[in-house]
Amino acid sequence: HISADWHFLKYHELFFDISENVHSYSECGYKLCASPFAVSQEAFDMTKKSLRPGTAWTYAAGYRYNDHHIGASVYAYRTNFNNRLQQITSGSSINPISTVANVGGVTMNGVDAALTIRPIEGLSLTNSVSYNHATYDNNITEAGTVYNIKGSQVVNYPRFMYKSRLSYTWNGLLTYIDGSYTGKRNYSYAGDVKVPGYW
C-alpha cells in the first residue's frame, strides 16, 4: 500500500493511492457461499491444489478543495480483481458436482465527485455523483456450457449513483433531508435482465 497527499496551495490538495489486497477464503455453511470449504469432500479434493485466493490491485488519484464555505473533491480509480471465487457446477450435465472455482477477473474503472456548500454557519448542501464501469474479464464455463459474460457489467453494480443532503445544525441538534438515485443494474450475468434505476 503506497499513498501520498500533497497540499500544494492553501485549501488545495492532490493525492494518490496504490494498493494490493488478498482476500481470505470465506467460511460458511454447506453451499451457503463461494467458499472452498462449503462443498462436498469430493469437490474440495478436486480443487484444493488449483484454487487461488482472490486479489485486487487498486489505483486512485484525485483532488480536494476545502475552505470555510466550500468543500469539493473529484477522484478517479481503477481496480483489477483476479482469481474471483464463485460457486459453479462442474463435471458432466448428467452427474454434476457443485464446487467453487476461480472464474477470472473483473476490471473496474470509476470517477467520484462531491461538492459541499456551507453558505452560513450550520447550514450545508452536499451533492455527490459516481460513475462505475465494472465488467467481467472472462466468460464462465459451467457443466460444459460456456456463458458469454465477458464485457458485461457486474451484477448488482449500477453505473451511476447520485446523492444529495441538505442539513442544518443548531445547538447540537442536527436536521437533514436526503435524496439519492441508484441507476439501473444487471440482474443476470449476461446483462439481458436488468433492475431499473430508482429514487
Side-chain angles (χ1 to χ4, degrees), residues 93-125:
S93 57
I94 298 173
N95 188 24
I97 297 172
S98 179
T99 187
V100 172
N102 292 117
V103 293
V106 163
T107 298
M108 182 181 293
N109 295 295
V111 177
D112 289 352
L115 174 66
T116 299
I117 301 172
R118 298 177 286 266
I120 60 174
E121 185 176 354
L123 179 66
S124 69
L125 173 63

Side-chain angles (χ1 to χ4, degrees), residues 11 66-70 118-119:
Y11 308 132
N66 197 27
D67 66 19
H68 297 297
H69 297 291
I70 295 175
R118 298 177 286 266

Side-chain angles (χ1 to χ4, degrees), residues 78-162:
R78 178 184 178 92
T79 300
N80 295 107
F81 297 98
N82 296 297
N83 296 322
R84 291 185 314 110
L85 290 174
Q86 184 171 313
Q87 282 186 326
I88 66 168
T89 303
S90 63
S92 68
S93 57
I94 298 173
N95 188 24
I97 297 172
S98 179
T99 187
V100 172
N102 292 117
V103 293
V106 163
T107 298
M108 182 181 293
N109 295 295
V111 177
D112 289 352
L115 174 66
T116 299
I117 301 172
R118 298 177 286 266
I120 60 174
E121 185 176 354
L123 179 66
S124 69
L125 173 63
T126 299
N127 289 280
S128 64
V129 63
S130 67
Y131 175 79
N132 180 292
H133 188 269
T135 57
Y136 295 109
D137 296 338
N138 311 87
N139 294 325
I140 290 181
T141 302
E142 186 170 358
T145 302
V146 177
Y147 295 91
N148 297 307
I149 65 170
K150 183 178 180 180
S152 295
Q153 181 79 0
V154 173
V155 169
N156 209 28
Y157 268 76
R159 291 218 167 141
F160 181 76
M161 290 193 297
Y162 167 78

Side-chain angles (χ1 to χ4, degrees), residues 39-62:
V39 296
S40 68
Q41 185 66 51
E42 180 185 6
F44 176 78
D45 291 340
M46 283 174 49
T47 59
K48 66 181 180 181
K49 292 183 179 179
S50 61
L51 281 182
R52 297 291 178 266
T55 62
W57 274 98
T58 299
Y59 315 86

